[in-house]
Amino acid sequence: SQSRYEKGSEIKELRQSLEVFYEKFRVDNQMKCKMGEYTIQDILRNYFKGAIVEDMSNYEGMSDISFKWDKLSILVESKTKVRLNADDINKFRRDAKNRKNEINGAILVNMLDSPLVDGNSDFYMEIAETGIPLIYVSDVLNKPYVLSNIILILRVLIKDGYYKGSNNSEVNKD
């Protein structure tokens, strides 16, 4: 039978091991998020030459990336999750609403293949109460071209007048 001292030492060692494990997990999770953001930025720069791609992740309520190209202004939220939760979706919608006067659209990009909104996987689009198209896309790590195609489709919808949002007057000028 072990003494109280021996049991206390074992518990202390176990606690220390768990703290090391937790710290590694926390750092790995932060790194995973940053790598997702950097990958999205690279995709945008590679597919859209001359685009302005800004890291906004250090600013509260701004989403992760600001993307400007051919008179479009889109906010991009980056996720690297097996499953998005309601908080992820609500934060994205709130950020888009807060920036409604500055953007033509918003895209939530999940790098992993996972369900999005209402069980839809790969792609989902809605028009927010503000009139801004909100687009959700997953599996961009394996299919980076999907992100570029979505931006091109959004551009056509706005340019050809199918979507008449409040911030599109500049886009429609040739």
Side-chain angles (χ1 to χ4, degrees):
S1 163
Q2 290 181 322
S3 71
R4 279 189 144 165
Y5 176 76
E6 290 172 324
K7 286 181 183 176
S9 291
E10 286 179 5
I11 291 172
K12 184 177 179 182
E13 283 180 36
L14 180 61
R15 187 174 289 144
Q16 288 172 340
S17 294
L18 287 173
E19 285 175 11
V20 168
F21 174 77
Y22 173 75
E23 183 61 21
K24 180 178 177 355
F25 176 77
R26 187 185 66 75
V27 170
D28 286 350
N29 197 37
Q30 288 174 339
M31 191 60 157
K32 178 182 72 168
C33 292
K34 276 296 178 195
M35 291 306 296
E37 291 171 24
Y38 294 148
T39 301
I40 292 168
Q41 290 176 26
D42 286 345
I43 291 168
L44 293 172
R45 286 186 181 106
N46 288 331
Y47 279 92
F48 299 97
K49 302 298 181 201
I52 298 170
V53 180
E54 296 178 89
D55 182 352
M56 305 298 283
S57 58
N58 292 329
Y59 302 99
E60 182 70 28
M62 299 290 279
S63 282
D64 295 319
I65 300 165
S66 172
F67 173 77
K68 295 179 181 173
W69 171 76
D70 198 23
K71 300 179 185 173
L72 284 179
S73 181
I74 300 171
L75 70 82
V76 180
E77 179 70 24
S78 167
K79 296 293 178 190
T80 309
K81 290 187 164 188
V82 174
R83 187 172 229 20
L84 296 176
N85 60 43
D87 289 340
D88 297 324
I89 304 297
N90 291 335
K91 180 192 174 300
F92 170 67
R93 288 174 175 157
R94 184 190 68 229
D95 289 353
K97 184 178 181 180
N98 290 343
R99 296 194 55 209
K100 68 183 178 189
N101 295 325
E102 308 162 35
I103 62 173
N104 308 97
I107 305 172
L108 188 148
V109 178
N110 192 2
M111 298 302 291
L112 305 179
D113 187 9
S114 67
L116 295 167
V117 179
D118 297 332
N120 291 291
S121 61
D122 293 338
F123 175 80
Y124 178 78
M125 180 177 166
E126 65 185 3
I127 303 297
E129 62 190 46
T130 59
I132 298 168
L134 304 179
I135 301 169
Y136 307 81
V137 61
S138 70
D139 203 16
V140 172
L141 188 61
N142 293 317
K143 303 174 196 170
Y145 57 87
V146 172
L147 178 57
S148 67
N149 289 345
I150 286 170
I151 291 171
L152 292 172
I153 290 168
L154 182 60
R155 175 68 177 91
V156 168
L157 290 174
I158 293 169
K159 179 109 178 129
D160 291 349
Y162 294 107
Y163 162 68
K164 298 185 185 312
S166 61
N167 302 320
N168 297 332
S169 59
E170 267 310 298
V171 178
N172 292 322
K173 290 181 184 175
D174 278 328

